[in-house]
Amino acid sequence: ATILDNLKPDIALTVADLFMEYRQLAARAAAIDAQIRKVFQATLPDVSRITDPRAQLQAEVEALRSRVALLNDVVPVSNSTSVDILHAVSAAIPNKIRIDSEEYAMDPDSVRVRANTDTFESVDAIKQELLGTGFFSDVQVRDAKAGKDGRGVDFRMTMVLAKEFRPKGKP
């Protein structure tokens, strides 16, 4: 018997083993593809024709990202809601300071207030308290002057929203 005759059974077993491994891998790949289709259909039930699930999902994600980018023009740059910010503003002002707000306007980058308080010192105290909330990266006071009818101090304030909100006292 030659060496080749001795190797024939080993070669046949090796080929059979490789074929079985191939079949198992092909079955696993088919099961994964089926799972991907199932997840795709659950995620995007309106899409009836699935040609390339990965590419189609990527296109959907990109479309959603562009829609979110459009919303960034409408919502604040921070992750906080307008209600969170309004609550932070009202909570920051000490109870001992009287403030009458005549105007409150919020845009994507800042909050603008026109108000009246008792003294110029109260305006400074309000500014410092608002800076301490963590909601604002800058607070600018403008047009602080004696109030109409000699009553208190009228002022305008612009509070620039912090891009990353870090509450007071937390890292």
Side-chain angles (χ1 to χ4, degrees):
T2 65
I3 295 178
L4 189 56
D5 290 334
N6 290 337
L7 289 178
K8 282 183 183 177
D10 290 338
I11 292 173
L13 287 175
T14 301
V15 168
D17 185 49
L18 287 173
F19 179 74
M20 292 304 293
E21 283 184 42
Y22 166 77
R23 296 288 292 171
Q24 287 176 343
L25 287 174
R28 276 195 219 147
I32 290 171
D33 285 343
Q35 189 66 25
I36 289 171
R37 283 186 173 282
K38 184 178 177 182
V39 169
F40 183 93
Q41 288 171 333
T43 305
L44 300 171
D46 297 338
V47 178
S48 58
R49 186 168 179 231
I50 303 171
T51 54
D52 182 359
R54 184 180 183 276
Q56 287 174 285
L57 279 173
Q58 188 64 38
E60 254 332 284
V61 167
E62 291 304 319
L64 287 173
R65 280 190 180 141
S66 66
R67 285 174 46 195
V68 167
L70 288 174
L71 286 176
N72 283 337
D73 292 339
V74 179
V75 297
V77 294
S78 73
N79 292 330
S80 304
T81 66
S82 56
V83 173
D84 294 334
I85 294 167
L86 183 58
H87 177 64
V89 168
S90 65
I93 299 170
N95 289 336
K96 64 184 179 185
I97 296 178
R98 179 197 59 82
I99 184 168
D100 296 323
S101 177
E102 298 172 16
E103 182 181 320
Y104 179 93
M106 184 172 173
D107 61 40
D109 300 318
S110 64
V111 175
R112 292 179 315 281
V113 175
R114 191 166 47 97
N116 179 282
T117 191
D118 295 324
T119 65
F120 288 101
E121 290 80 16
S122 294
V123 174
D124 290 335
I126 292 168
K127 175 183 177 178
Q128 292 308 313
E129 290 296 324
L130 290 171
L131 279 170
T133 64
F135 275 96
F136 309 106
S137 61
D138 188 23
V139 176
Q140 303 161 0
V141 175
R142 296 199 172 105
D143 300 330
K145 58 188 174 201
K148 301 172 199 159
D149 303 329
R151 216 184 109 195
V153 177
D154 290 335
F155 66 96
R156 289 185 315 137
M157 187 174 285
T158 301
M159 299 162 270
V160 179
L161 293 169
K163 293 196 185 324
E164 291 185 30
F165 169 62
R166 286 190 174 77
K168 185 176 173 181
K170 295 184 181 176

